[in-house]
Amino acid sequence: MAMKKTLLLALPVLAMLFAACGKERQCKCTTTDVPDDGLLKLLVVDNSMSCDDIKVMGIESTTILEDGTQSLKRTEMHEVSCRDYAAE
């Protein structure tokens, strides 16, 4: 009897975990301002954002300054066109 109660309590938790996995999607992007290099560019976004809304993509690299602090530097900013990767 205790096993049934444990199973009944675990089912809603498992259902919530599976529902949470569906709250993000992958967007495939290609550059529009320069010829695309053919490398796969994927962004993971949550359901509140559409892949069509992404217009600019860049790369951030971490550099360590002489005093030991870290700094982020944006490089290779490009205009992009993105679509839902699962729709292909």
Side-chain angles (χ1 to χ4, degrees), residues 1-24:
M1 191 64 149
M3 180 63 105
K4 285 184 181 180
K5 286 184 181 179
T6 304
L7 185 59
L8 288 175
L9 292 174
L11 285 176
V13 173
L14 290 173
M16 287 173 47
L17 284 174
F18 286 118
C21 292
K23 292 186 178 180
E24 56 186 36

Side-chain angles (χ1 to χ4, degrees), residues 27 31 52 61:
C27 299
T31 56
D52 295 331
S61 59

Side-chain angles (χ1 to χ4, degrees), residues 3-84:
M3 180 63 105
K4 285 184 181 180
K5 286 184 181 179
T6 304
L7 185 59
L8 288 175
L9 292 174
L11 285 176
V13 173
L14 290 173
M16 287 173 47
L17 284 174
F18 286 118
C21 292
K23 292 186 178 180
E24 56 186 36
R25 74 172 70 109
Q26 293 179 340
C27 299
K28 179 181 177 184
C29 302
T30 55
T31 56
T32 57
D33 60 343
V34 295
D36 194 61
D37 57 8
L39 296 175
L40 186 62
K41 297 169 202 62
L42 290 179
L43 290 176
V44 178
V45 297
D46 63 10
N47 272 342
S48 66
M49 183 176 210
S50 171
C51 294
D52 295 331
D53 293 337
I54 301 168
K55 302 297 179 199
V56 178
M57 177 188 283
I59 297 173
E60 287 186 344
S61 59
T62 303
T63 56
I64 300 175
L65 303 176
E66 291 179 10
D67 63 358
T69 59
Q70 294 184 0
S71 176
L72 282 177
K73 181 179 179 182
R74 287 189 184 147
T75 59
E76 298 185 39
M77 299 297 288
H78 294 289
E79 293 177 14
V80 293
S81 173
C82 300
R83 61 182 174 194
D84 196 346

